[in-house]
Amino acid sequence: QWLGQEGGGVARLDPKLLETAGDVDQSPAGAPARFALFDAATWFFRRAAATAPILLVIDDLHGADLASIHLLRFLSRQIRGIPLVILATCRSVELHADSETEALLDELRRHVTHLELGGLEAPELGAFVTHITGQPPAQTTVDALLQASGGNPLFLDGLVRALAIDDGFARFERGAYAIPAGVRGAVERRLQSYAGVAKKVLAATAVIGRGCTPQLVARVSDVPLAEVSQVLRKATSEGLMTSVVGTGRAHAFTHALIAETIRRDLDMTARLALHHRCAVALEELYPGDEEHLAQLAHHYLEWAALGEVGKGIEYARRAATWSINICAYEAAARYCERAIDAMDFGGRPQGPVRCELLLEQGEALLLAGRRSAREQWVRAAAMARTLDRPDLFAQAALGVERACVL
């Protein structure tokens, strides 16, 4: 009922919505496809908010793809007067590696209320410790924790949970407790209790990524399902993991740094082997499911570091096509780029597949409004000439002409 005539286009973003959309028209008409999709999303939220006020929470916005940030920017300008509040969190320290994401978020900040959050103060820190341990801490403990952590919640979470074991608070107040070196050190200390089978389960979970089910973890880790479930329950009860809302039994780490720390502890061969096992398991568990194309492309492209690039390229191209269908043009261009990089890494020759990838990347970049589309088509034209492929050369030439309008 929230889709309606204008909002039907949003159904293309989620296969579950496609199942319930019925005869709703999902193909945008008239306006450019991305604008039509964003407008459809706005109407979707208008109808949903008309039934009850909505709080939409988006965590770790710094990790979002560019198309999602474009959509959020569009929504932020359209929801005035609607009983809808969007709360997005972002760690500014994560943005420097991606200048394009940083620029988009800087532009978004000019149209929204922006709050800078610092570390916890003493009263908040005391409440934090009470919440975890069930006991209010002494003021001396609060002061010492504040000095050691700077109020960083993730550091505190690991430190306080470690202190709660074996009377650590008493040793901490006496100065007899070795404080971890920074946030990563606190995470590493929390992971020390996971050895053997438990360590294998967490390693598989960290490589799989967000929203992994016990069944998938069992296949990737080669650990019986009952033992996997036991480890996931323990990690959840200890605050390392959480259940992903709306996904049944799927789990995720409570902070990206936890998964990153686990992956860093793996040697390259072990990590790549887990990527391969994950890709194979996804193929077996979800055959023909387009919803998992992005995951399959990611895991097979990681596995391509060992020289087996065929499936990585196949799934990257399929994921690029899927991304274009949902107007995520930047993501489509990135999949093509990763597939080309995999061919370089694997020593593949300059064949027609590489030329086709350049053509597909140029198309995605053009749809995203990027001038760099022309560069990819020029490269494709040169390669097509070398390959003596007039059909590919014609596509590249037409692409160069189309890019002139950018």
Side-chain angles (χ1 to χ4, degrees), residues 38 41-42 45 56-62 64-79 84-90 104-105 108-109 111-112:
F38 288 2
T42 301
F45 282 111
L56 177 62
V57 180
I58 304 173
D59 197 16
D60 289 345
L61 186 61
H62 52 270
D65 61 276
L66 294 174
S68 297
I69 299 175
H70 279 297
L71 173 57
L72 179 60
R73 185 180 60 173
F74 185 93
L75 275 175
S76 69
R77 297 171 177 174
Q78 302 295 322
I79 62 173
L84 167 66
V85 173
I86 301 176
L87 174 63
T89 67
C90 175
L104 268 178
L105 291 178
L108 179 63
R109 289 189 187 101
H111 304 282
V112 301

Side-chain angles (χ1 to χ4, degrees), residues 3 10-22 26 44:
L3 295 175
V10 78
R12 72 197 306 172
L13 296 177
D14 189 338
K16 298 181 182 65
L17 287 176
L18 287 173
E19 296 171 3
T20 60
Q26 298 144 20
F44 176 85

